[in-house]
Structure formats: C-alpha cells, structure tokens
Amino acid sequence: MTNVKAAITGIHGWVPNYVLTNQELESMVDTNDEWITTRTGIKERRILKGEGLGTSDMGAEAAKGLLEKKGLSAEDIDLIICATATPDMLFPSTACVIADKIGAQNAFGFDLMAACSGFLFSVATAAKYIESGSHKRILVIGADKMSSIVDYEDRQTCIIFGDGAGAVLLEPTEDGMGIQDSIMKSNGEGRHYLHMKGGGSVKPASHATVDAKEHFIHQEGQTVFKFAVKGMADVSAEIMERNNLTGDDVAWLVPHQANKRIIDATANRMGVGTDKVMLNIQRYGNTTNGTIPLCLWEWENQLNKGDNIILAAFGGGFTWGSVYLKWAYDSK
Ligand code: UT7
C-alpha cells in the first residue's frame, strides 16, 4: 500500500451570461416564482445561447481558467475525464473535443456518464489513476448544456435545469490530504423515472421520436425526489460513519444541487448545520455535472487546508454516492 492520495489542487468554473429567471419562465409555461422557489429553491439559471456552442465550449472555458490560475500548460495534463449527460455528440467523447480546444496534446480522455452523479464518480475514478501512480495531473470536468435536452413546454422539468461547467485538477499528495474515501452506487431499476428515451441505440432519432418529444428529459419528479432524499442522506451518513466523523467534524457538505429540500434533508440527517452547506441552486438551478464543481469554485476562498468535506450526489440511473476528502490547500 502506498500513502499517495489524490488531492484537488485547483478549481475553476464557468457559466454562460444569459440569465433565465423564474419571471421569464412564467411567460413560457403555467408556473410562478412562488411555486418554483418554495418547491425547489431556484430563482434563476444560466443558459448557453449561440449557434454551434455546446458542452465542450463551457468545459474548455472552465479548464482554461483553471490552467491559467495554476500557471500550467495544457500539455502538462495527462488525463481528462469529462462528466456529462449532454455530450457534444454521441461520439467522439466531449473529453476529446475539450482536449483539442485547450491544446492538451499529452492527455488521453474519456467521458463518464452517470447522470447527475457523474462528477462525483469521475473524481473517485481519477483518484484511482493517481493512487496507482500511473497519472499525475488529471482534469476532471463536470459540464452540461441541459438546455439542449429540456422541453420548455414541460413545467415539471424546465424550471429545474440550467447550463454550466466546473473543472478540478487532481494531483498526488503524500501529506494525508486529498480523497480519503468514496462510496458509489447505481441501480438500473430507477431508469424508468428519469431518462431521455430517444437518440440512443434503442430509439434512434426519427420523425416519430421527434414528434413524441423523446429527445427531451422525462422525469417523474415525486418518485425521483423520494429516492434522492433517501439515497443522498443514506450514503452521506454511511461515509461519515465508516470514517468516524460527526457533524461537528465536517467543515462543508457539497451536495448536488437538484432541489433545496433534498439538500436540507441530507444535511439534517448528517447533523450538519445549514451554515456548512454549499448552496447556489438559487442562481444556477440544476446544472447536472456542473453543480458540485461550481459550488467548490464559488466557495474556494473560504476553504482551508485540512477541512473535512463531503461531496454527495444523486441522479438518473439511479446513481448516487459520496466522497470524503480533506481539502489540500489554503485558498486565500
Ligand atoms: O438531479 C437529478 C435528480 N433529480 C431530482 O432530484 C429531482 C427530484 N424531484 C423534485 O425536485 C421535485 O419532485 C420537483 C421539483 C420536480 C417537483 O416538485 P414536487 O413538490 O414533487 O411537485 P409535484 O410533482 O408533486 O407536483 C405538485 C403540484 C402538481 O399539481 P396538483 O396535481 O397538485 O394540482 C403539479 O401539477 O404542482 C404542480 N406543478 C407545478 N405548478 C407550478 C408541477 N410543476 C409545476 C410548476 N409550477 N413548474
């Protein structure tokens, strides 16, 4: 056993300029600001506008900003994992496109698809490459252009999602900081409640799939909500228990931003006060793979070396999990 761990050593985020407010949504579907705010906590979300722009453009911006902050060249990166549910295309991978856009000529790359848990699964996967000694500088990018698969006539889903991207750099450390533990779960029985039917190998795009709106997200909200509350709370409690952590030991909970009520239930179960919960759902909505890195990015200045941080996510599949890490640097 080596004592090499994978530490997040840098973070950056990127969101598009266009702000889609609850008020604008009121003019599009039968909804209102009060309903959206009380049921989800969301006030506004960002939308990527512009012909020919996709997930890779947001991911590349986040990655470029991160490299600049760290004073690194893209050629220093040896692996890029892109967590996304909205790849630029089915293939090639968005990670390959980002590598090209930022000039990462020495990296191999792939996409990791685990719906809203993708960023968390990607961080845990990247950690294994670092712990094994095979790779030294890994970019994990969580990026989604959710507006490309949202039906803006469906009030149950269009109020939730937004676009955005975040990127973290993972490097080896031997000072005890970094990723300490991870728990990842999936259960395909949940696939019926949150999915996009069209465009895959079962239902390739056709006039019929377009007419039936099968290239949009379909979500049975209440069912997903119930599983999400239990899944995220259970897995967060489990990772705390097996690492002998109490609520007082946890400096920050970084939850996937799907619904403020799910986040509150998770924090409550963990015994973590709301002052220690990163929450930006009110400004960005659910950016799927962007949520956790966008939180870390916005809170970076408040993080201190040694802070115990729990990341937690739940998403389509179902997929869910938690990561326990010790923050590796003083950010101020
Ligand atoms: O990130 C991946 C995982 N996803 C999640 O974790 C999402 C989990 N689900 C949720 O967050 C919630 O279920 C939603 C926000 C999607 C919906 O909230 P809800 O409290 O579960 O509402 P509901 O679906 O039970 O609907 C309650 C009522 C219904 O009306 P009736 O039947 O009571 O008359 C809906 O038709 O609210 C109505 N409704 C709306 N009203 C105004 C549904 N959507 C809207 C809306 N505006 N946008």
Side-chain angles (χ1 to χ4, degrees), residues 31 35 39 116 155 219 221-222 224 256 258-259 261-262 286:
T31 191
W35 191 96
R39 299 288 180 128
C116 295
R155 69 175 183 173
Q219 171 166 261
Q222 268 190 22
V224 179
H256 169 53
N259 186 315
R261 290 182 290 145
I262 300 172
N286 181 350

Side-chain angles (χ1 to χ4, degrees), residues 24-272:
E24 187 175 351
L25 281 167
E26 283 175 7
S27 69
M28 296 159 70
V29 288
D30 180 15
T31 191
N32 57 77
D33 175 52
E34 202 267 331
W35 191 96
I36 302 172
T37 307
T38 52
R39 299 288 180 128
T40 69
I42 302 168
K43 285 294 205 185
E44 58 189 44
R45 55 302 279 142
R46 300 300 180 97
I47 303 295
L48 182 66
K49 302 262 187 188
E51 197 67 29
L53 295 178
T55 295
S56 70
D57 296 289
M58 296 189 293
E61 288 300 329
K64 279 192 277 187
L66 172 55
L67 292 171
E68 199 177 309
K69 246 163 110 173
K70 292 292 295 178
L72 289 172
S73 148
E75 292 177 2
D76 297 326
I77 302 302
D78 47 22
L79 168 57
I80 297 176
I81 305 178
C82 180
T84 186
T86 51
D88 282 17
M89 295 167 251
L90 268 182
F91 72 90
S93 73
T94 303
C96 284
V97 181
I98 292 173
D100 184 46
K101 286 183 175 170
I102 67 174
Q105 292 172 7
N106 299 315
F108 88 100
F110 59 89
D111 290 358
L112 193 151
M113 168 56 201
C116 295
S117 307
F119 179 79
L120 193 138
F121 285 16
S122 297
V123 165
T125 302
K128 302 300 174 200
Y129 281 93
I130 290 197
E131 287 160 13
S132 74
S134 66
H135 292 74
K136 301 267 183 254
R137 283 195 181 123
I138 304 181
L139 279 183
V140 173
I141 299 165
D144 272 298
K145 183 183 170 186
M146 296 307 291
S147 61
S148 66
I149 57 168
V150 163
D151 176 3
Y152 286 97
E153 292 180 347
D154 174 12
R155 69 175 183 173
Q156 298 211 27
T157 51
C158 73
I159 53 128
I160 299 172
F161 295 99
D163 303 337
V168 295
L169 178 68
L170 283 136
E171 293 181 282
T173 182
E174 295 193 47
D175 64 359
M177 299 296 119
I179 315 287
Q180 308 290 312
D181 196 7
S182 59
I183 302 175
M184 287 168 287
K185 308 208 183 214
S186 55
N187 168 359
E189 286 169 22
R191 70 189 186 280
H192 306 291
Y193 310 112
L194 179 51
H195 58 222
M196 190 172 87
K197 284 197 180 72
S201 58
V202 172
K203 280 202 171 189
S206 67
H207 286 293
T209 61
V210 172
D211 291 346
K213 295 192 157 197
E214 289 177 344
H215 298 276
F216 292 128
I217 300 168
H218 165 85
Q219 171 166 261
E220 291 179 31
Q222 268 190 22
T223 310
V224 179
F225 184 90
K226 282 181 203 146
F227 277 98
V229 166
K230 183 163 167 31
M232 234 163 86
D234 280 356
V235 83
S236 304
E238 188 181 341
I239 208 161
M240 285 173 69
E241 203 174 303
R242 80 182 193 191
N243 289 282
N244 299 313
L245 296 170
T246 67
D248 289 342
D249 300 320
V250 174
W252 294 101
L253 166 65
V254 194
H256 169 53
Q257 314 276 307
N259 186 315
K260 184 173 181 299
R261 290 182 290 145
I262 300 172
I263 294 170
D264 290 344
T266 304
N268 193 28
R269 173 82 177 282
M270 293 167 68
V272 169

